[in-house]
Amino acid sequence: MPLYRDEAVVLRTHKLGEADRIITLLTRQHGRVRAVAKGVRRTTSRWGSRLEPFTHVDLQLAEGRSLDVITQAETLDPFHARLGLDYDRYTAGTVMLETAERLVTEEKEPAVQQFLLLVGGLRAMAGAEHPAKQVLDSYLLRSLSVAGYAPSFDHCVQCGVEGPHRFFNPSAGGVLCASDRLPGSATPAAETVRLLGALLVGDWPVVHAADPRHLREASNLVSAYLAWHLERGLRSMAYVER
Ligand SMILES: [Zn+2]
């Protein structure tokens, strides 16, 4: 079987047979890959915790007929160990993993930007520099953008006139001017719209200065925007307080 190397983040695992697991990975060069880890559920497993969700690993894989097989794994960053100590960061991180899996839809189609975004997002989530909820919101807006659903928070998505605009509609893809507004649009505070723009580009000084009420409103709109673009909701989102 031909071998290849890649680095990856472990997104999810599930049981296979008596002692094995199928590991769903987001790799740097091969996009989303599902691969078998043999013997990983034995107590004497040589894999240790290297193939747990969140772990950033360097891998060697053997190409299989249906699923590839992991032959070597070395931990680059044990995000699991760092996130596991903080419930908010852990649950928000779980939403990131599920989002990455859902937005990278094709197996073995390179998705370098999504990979880099996920590693950067997990690093920010594991650090203490920014609040967990805003790291999550920023990641969600950016991963949706990379997937082709970039929201607009300044120009009206219908006519392109520059804002600020008061109306926000997930189905339209962002803010709308007064003449193009759709029924049922949200009317967030001007500060919330500005905050959403800051989360999208990672303008952290604006995020840190924001009022809690605007942070909450922004989180709800990000959730609505994400829900609109995913066919079914994220299971993991239920554990994140919005
Ligand atoms: Zn307009």
Side-chain angles (χ1 to χ4, degrees), residues 156-161 165 175-181:
C156 168
V157 290
Q158 282 300 331
C159 67
V161 161
H165 297 299
V175 291
L176 294 159
C177 70
S179 25
D180 289 322
R181 72 174 193 264

Side-chain angles (χ1 to χ4, degrees), residues 23-194:
I23 314 286
T24 304
L25 303 155
L26 182 59
T27 67
R28 181 191 276 267
Q29 293 162 54
H30 298 81
R32 199 179 69 178
V33 171
R34 291 189 331 135
V36 177
K38 291 198 169 145
V40 73
R41 281 159 57 218
R42 293 210 176 91
T43 46
T44 55
S45 164
R46 66 192 175 96
W47 299 109
S49 61
R50 279 169 285 175
L51 299 173
E52 296 286 325
F54 289 113
T55 312
H56 182 196
V57 275
D58 185 58
L59 296 171
Q60 188 183 68
L61 300 106
E63 273 177 43
R65 267 200 315 194
S66 54
L67 293 171
D68 296 350
V69 176
I70 298 173
T71 54
Q72 280 177 28
E74 261 177 72
T75 304
L76 296 172
D77 199 325
F79 288 122
H80 184 270
R82 293 163 66 192
L83 289 168
L85 303 169
D86 183 314
Y87 181 78
D88 284 347
R89 289 183 185 273
Y90 181 83
T91 51
T94 305
V95 175
M96 292 166 70
L97 297 186
E98 193 180 351
T99 302
E101 187 178 354
R102 295 281 294 279
L103 290 177
V104 179
T105 50
E106 296 293 321
E107 299 246 333
K108 293 214 173 166
E109 281 283 315
V112 185
Q113 272 187 290
Q114 288 288 9
F115 172 80
L116 295 174
L117 201 59
L118 182 61
V119 171
L122 290 174
R123 196 167 286 141
M125 193 59 88
E129 222 178 307
H130 309 302
K133 289 191 175 82
Q134 280 66 55
V135 172
L136 174 61
D137 289 340
S138 181
Y139 169 79
L140 294 175
L141 289 174
R142 290 198 234 184
S143 58
L144 282 160
S145 300
V146 169
Y149 310 122
S152 171
F153 297 121
D154 36 39
H155 297 83
C156 168
V157 290
Q158 282 300 331
C159 67
V161 161
E162 200 171 343
H165 297 299
R166 288 195 55 218
F167 303 93
F168 176 83
N169 198 300
S171 67
V175 291
L176 294 159
C177 70
S179 25
D180 289 322
R181 72 174 193 264
L182 294 169
S185 295
T187 50
E191 294 90 333
T192 302
V193 177
R194 202 163 75 88

Side-chain angles (χ1 to χ4, degrees), residues 128-131 134-135 195 198-199 203-212 215:
E129 222 178 307
H130 309 302
Q134 280 66 55
V135 172
L195 173 60
L199 288 164
D203 184 351
W204 290 103
V206 171
V207 176
H208 285 282
D211 189 286
L215 291 170

